[in-house]
Amino acid sequence: MTQYAFFKGKIVPIDEAKVSIMTHALNYGTACFEGIRAYWNADENQLYAFRMPEHYQRLIQSMKILMMDARYSARQLCDITCELLQKENFHTDTYIRPLAYKADEIIGVKLHGLSDDLGIFATPFGRYVENEEGAKVGFSSWQRVSDNTIPPRGKITGSYINSAFIKTEAILNGFDEALVLNDRGHVCEGSAENVFLVRGRQLITPPVNEDILEGITRATIMELARTELNLEVVERPIGRTEFYVADEAFFVGTGVQVAAIASVDHRPVGNGGLGPIVKSIRDLYFDIVRGRVPRYRSWCTPIYVGEKAPAPAV
Ligand code: PMP
């Protein structure tokens, strides 16, 4: 249960972290956010936040896109988050939600000349999609927002209406998740996760100019695939039917972690189960995020160290 939030510059009981019905961000979607996971390691009695500085750097980039003041550095935000989590004292996997929002209580659609605020809360959190070992996926009838409509490079709350249309359609049509095309007809990502496919020893994913979020899990998997699994990683536009003939395919993201795709548009991907490459990536990822792989320990910020867990240098 969430007990506290960082709100208007300090940690307060969660019941005090409230905004007005007139808040600009609530009316117009003028906010941006992050999703960060912290993993409980029972052997070490420790909670590890995964790639927290990178998430806060991306939040600051999203804020820049929305013309917000960068009032905190990534380093300061890491320190605030450690303090908040220490107070919550969660001993379980946790999801951290920072939110920067246009806080003025006025009518008027714009970005400029408004004041903003930044809040953070955290909540215990497990799985994000059903069937992580083999999700049934369908291509969405919705189109992804684009860099010239609502830039997907920023994690902007208003654009998540697009994700919500995509996700709900998929679930109501009997799928676990969706894939979505951009306005050029190329594959972008899932409703809230990046996507890879495997052909031979190649791992293929859309490049950052294909209307995707520049995912932190995506960057993590690309690095691990190259350095640990000796795979060739290729960033290039992907057509829909490449998923029909792929050997393996999978989603990655903070929420979804690494989830195998079993079928796309009712066609089995590979043998329709958890393939060997996705399995090795999943196993490695789950060990790393829990702080079990010493050479990647720098990606994991320990929360419970002495009085205050120091954030890694940014
Ligand atoms: N794409 C979208 C649209 C998302 O919302 C997310 C989740 N943040 C991702 C991709 C995955 O990004 P990350 O790995 O940084 O969580």
Side-chain angles (χ1 to χ4, degrees):
M1 271 279 287
T2 303
Q3 292 189 70
Y4 300 99
F6 178 75
F7 185 70
K8 294 193 191 296
K10 56 180 198 286
I11 294 175
V12 299
I14 189 72
D15 287 347
E16 292 175 23
K18 298 246 161 61
V19 297
S20 157
I21 188 72
M22 289 178 68
T23 304
H24 198 273
L26 182 60
N27 284 263
Y28 302 118
T30 47
C32 55
F33 66 107
E34 272 302 319
I36 309 170
R37 267 192 194 256
Y39 289 87
W40 178 242
N41 182 323
D43 300 335
E44 297 180 27
N45 218 27
Q46 182 59 272
L47 190 63
Y48 286 111
F50 189 63
R51 305 202 75 172
M52 183 159 63
E54 289 87 340
H55 279 281
Y56 279 122
Q57 279 155 10
R58 187 173 65 187
L59 181 69
I60 290 166
Q61 287 170 5
S62 297
M63 291 169 69
K64 194 169 177 189
I65 292 173
L66 290 183
M67 303 179 86
M68 293 178 175
D69 293 336
R71 65 176 69 195
Y72 300 102
S73 67
R75 171 81 196 222
Q76 286 170 319
L77 292 168
C78 288
D79 286 344
I80 292 166
T81 306
C82 286
E83 202 182 323
L84 178 68
L85 287 178
Q86 284 165 12
K87 230 169 137 65
E88 292 283 16
N89 200 24
F90 291 135
H91 285 208
T92 183
D93 291 353
T94 301
Y95 189 82
I96 304 153
R97 166 54 49 82
L99 178 72
Y101 57 98
K102 301 280 184 189
D104 292 84
E105 296 171 15
I106 58 153
I107 298 295
V109 184
K110 59 176 185 170
L111 291 177
H112 67 281
L114 296 169
S115 55
D116 41 80
D117 231 320
L118 190 152
I120 309 173
F121 65 91
T123 184
F125 196 67
R127 279 182 173 232
Y128 181 76
V129 286
E130 293 305 316
N131 300 328
E132 272 180 19
E133 288 84 13
K136 284 188 292 168
V137 174
F139 269 94
S140 184
S141 70
W142 297 94
Q143 192 176 81
R144 188 88 178 105
V145 288
S146 72
D147 208 30
N148 289 315
T149 57
I150 309 177
R153 198 182 317 282
K155 221 169 144 48
I156 299 168
T157 57
S159 78
Y160 277 77
I161 270 294
N162 182 239
S163 297
F165 277 123
I166 293 162
K167 180 80 182 192
T168 287
E169 180 192 57
I171 300 295
L172 296 185
N173 284 343
F175 295 111
D176 299 307
E177 237 316 322
L179 278 163
V180 63
L181 304 174
N182 62 18
D183 58 10
R184 297 177 297 286
H186 299 155
V187 177
C188 306
E189 50 187 352
S191 65
E193 52 278 310
N194 292 112
V195 71
F196 286 87
L197 59 80
V198 179
R199 297 189 81 176
R201 297 290 297 170
Q202 271 193 350
L203 211 57
I204 307 167
T205 196
V208 295
N209 59 353
E210 283 281 13
D211 303 314
I212 65 167
L213 182 74
E214 298 181 6
I216 288 156
T217 321
R218 174 183 178 275
T220 302
I221 298 303
M222 286 167 63
E223 184 171 340
L224 294 177
R226 287 184 176 122
T227 57
E228 302 290 329
L229 301 167
N230 205 21
L231 295 166
E232 188 190 352
V233 180
V234 181
E235 292 175 84
R236 63 157 173 81
I238 300 176
R240 173 179 190 153
T241 60
E242 257 188 287
F243 278 87
Y244 299 180
V245 299
D247 299 328
E248 299 180 45
F250 57 106
F251 287 121
V252 304
T254 299
V256 77
Q257 308 178 98
V258 177
I261 298 177
S263 65
V264 174
D265 291 346
H266 307 285
R267 282 115 174 135
V269 175
N271 64 8
L274 181 61
I277 289 181
V278 179
K279 182 169 186 327
S280 52
I281 290 174
R282 254 173 81 87
D283 292 348
L284 183 59
Y285 184 78
F286 284 122
D287 276 348
I288 288 173
V289 293
R290 262 178 230 285
R292 294 200 179 117
V293 183
R295 62 188 177 283
Y296 292 106
R297 206 48 178 248
S298 61
W299 282 347
C300 305
T301 305
I303 301 301
Y304 304 122
V305 185
E307 276 296 290
K308 189 169 188 185
V314 175

